[in-house]
Amino acid sequence: MILWQLLLSIPVGPGRNHPGGRPVSGDAAPPELRGRGMDEDQWGALAQAQSARKTPWRVAAPPALALAVLGAFLATGPLAAQERPLLGVTFDGGRQSVSVPMQVTLLLAALTLLPAIVMAVTPFLRITIVLHFLRQALGTQNTPSNQVLLGLALFLTALIMTPLVAEIREKAWDPFADGKLTQSQALEQAAPPVKKFLLRYAREKDIQLFLQIARKPSPSSADQLELSVLAPAYVLSELKAGFQIGAVLFLPFLVIDIVVASVTLSIGMVQLPPVMLSAPFKILLFVLVDGWNLLVGSLVRSFYA
């Protein structure tokens, strides 16, 4: 703020090309002043004083230049050199911290990766796959819309993840916020609940696959598995589970498509697409059996089984 005020308070007079920026020669003096004994230097000083009163002062540094100088000052000046744990990003057991601009950069990078993390290592993955298969089985094209399906998946994910988030908050976040734990200690306290959640749904075959890919020996206990192995194994397991549920969802609607297609062909309605006739029957069946209640209930219960 002080640098900005200094940049805006520096005035600059008229330039060299301005009439008041250079002395006016004696030949340019008015005829009535030539006979008063004024030499060339005196007339030039008088002309500059008159021009200065008529010409407004202007700011030396435009806003763009001032912003550039301010950004360079923040990036390389005392504020950048000052190590303050503004966002809690510390190293070496909390004894060292990165500069403020670097902490902001790390925060933006973390926010960029946050959607991928939410989609990959939470129940959001299985739920979105199942809802997509359901829409394809019903043949309703874009109904419900993607926004509706994603919103439902987010709410169900938040409901399922609530116990895990509460446990992480109790064991890691609250002590870290109170200053009882350092950043590294808080991460160590938050890792076991996350590992327990991932191990609950990751298949042993997928874990062994990523252990072989990472060229790591099999640990003696499941608690010794790293998150770099558990996270992709969890993703593969959830993909398989989602496809299995989607295949089961397709079966009753596939039977309706086969029956409608057989009837239309038997009565000679060849030009009428069977999908157009079967869509109302599939929607009617789904509504009569209260399909949304059954589907959402089964999905949520599958994570507690």
Side-chain angles (χ1 to χ4, degrees):
M1 188 65 184
I2 298 175
L3 178 62
W4 178 260
Q5 293 177 354
L6 289 175
L7 288 172
L8 295 181
S9 62
I10 299 176
V12 174
R16 293 181 57 86
N17 296 329
H18 194 274
R22 58 187 178 185
V24 181
S25 62
D27 297 337
E32 61 272 11
L33 296 178
R34 292 178 184 176
R36 297 184 181 180
M38 296 182 64
D39 56 6
E40 182 177 347
D41 295 336
Q42 292 176 349
W43 165 245
L46 179 61
Q48 286 185 357
Q50 292 178 352
S51 177
R53 288 194 297 267
K54 297 179 181 179
T55 304
W57 296 98
R58 56 190 176 88
V59 178
L65 179 60
L67 289 176
V69 176
L70 182 61
F73 178 77
L74 290 176
T76 60
L79 289 180
Q82 184 180 4
E83 295 183 351
R84 296 180 300 172
L86 179 64
L87 302 175
V89 181
T90 58
F91 298 98
D92 195 12
R95 291 187 293 270
Q96 296 181 0
S97 62
V98 298
S99 59
V100 175
M102 184 56 67
Q103 293 184 43
V104 175
T105 303
L106 293 176
L107 176 62
L108 294 178
L111 291 177
T112 304
L113 297 176
L114 183 60
I117 297 174
V118 172
M119 294 177 61
V121 294
T122 61
F124 184 85
L125 178 61
R126 183 193 302 186
I127 295 172
T128 51
I129 292 175
V130 172
L131 293 179
H132 174 75
F133 272 110
L134 174 64
R135 189 171 64 179
Q136 293 294 324
L138 288 174
T140 54
Q141 301 298 326
N142 296 323
T143 304
S145 63
N146 291 330
Q147 291 80 1
V148 174
L149 295 182
L150 291 178
L152 177 60
L154 284 174
F155 281 115
L156 294 178
T157 302
L159 178 64
I160 297 171
M161 296 291 291
T162 298
L164 175 62
V165 174
E167 185 178 359
I168 294 175
R169 180 179 178 181
E170 180 182 357
K171 293 183 177 180
W173 179 257
D174 288 343
F176 174 70
D178 296 337
K180 299 179 181 178
L181 297 177
T182 62
Q183 181 183 357
S184 59
Q185 293 174 347
L187 292 176
E188 292 177 358
Q189 293 294 327
V194 176
K195 289 182 179 180
K196 183 180 178 181
F197 174 81
L198 297 179
L199 277 171
R200 188 175 182 180
Y201 305 106
R203 298 184 306 162
E204 183 179 356
K205 184 178 180 181
D206 296 330
I207 295 176
Q208 291 294 333
L209 172 63
F210 285 100
L211 283 175
Q212 295 175 3
I213 293 175
R215 297 181 180 179
K216 295 181 179 180
S218 299
S220 57
S221 63
D223 297 336
Q224 297 177 358
L225 288 171
E226 299 180 358
L227 289 176
S228 59
V229 174
L230 285 176
Y234 172 83
V235 173
L236 284 187
S237 302
E238 287 297 286
L239 285 173
K240 181 178 180 180
F243 274 77
Q244 289 176 342
I245 298 175
V248 175
L249 276 177
F250 253 102
L251 292 179
F253 301 109
L254 181 61
V255 172
I256 295 178
D257 286 332
I258 294 175
V259 172
V260 172
S262 301
V263 172
T264 54
L265 289 176
S266 62
I267 61 178
M269 300 177 61
V270 182
Q271 296 181 353
L272 187 62
V275 178
M276 185 179 298
L277 292 177
S278 62
F281 293 100
K282 291 189 290 186
I283 295 174
L284 182 62
L285 173 65
F286 188 73
V287 172
L288 289 177
V289 298
D290 199 4
W292 287 112
N293 186 282
L294 291 175
L295 178 64
V296 172
S298 301
L299 270 176
V300 174
R301 284 191 294 269
S302 67
F303 288 97
Y304 294 100

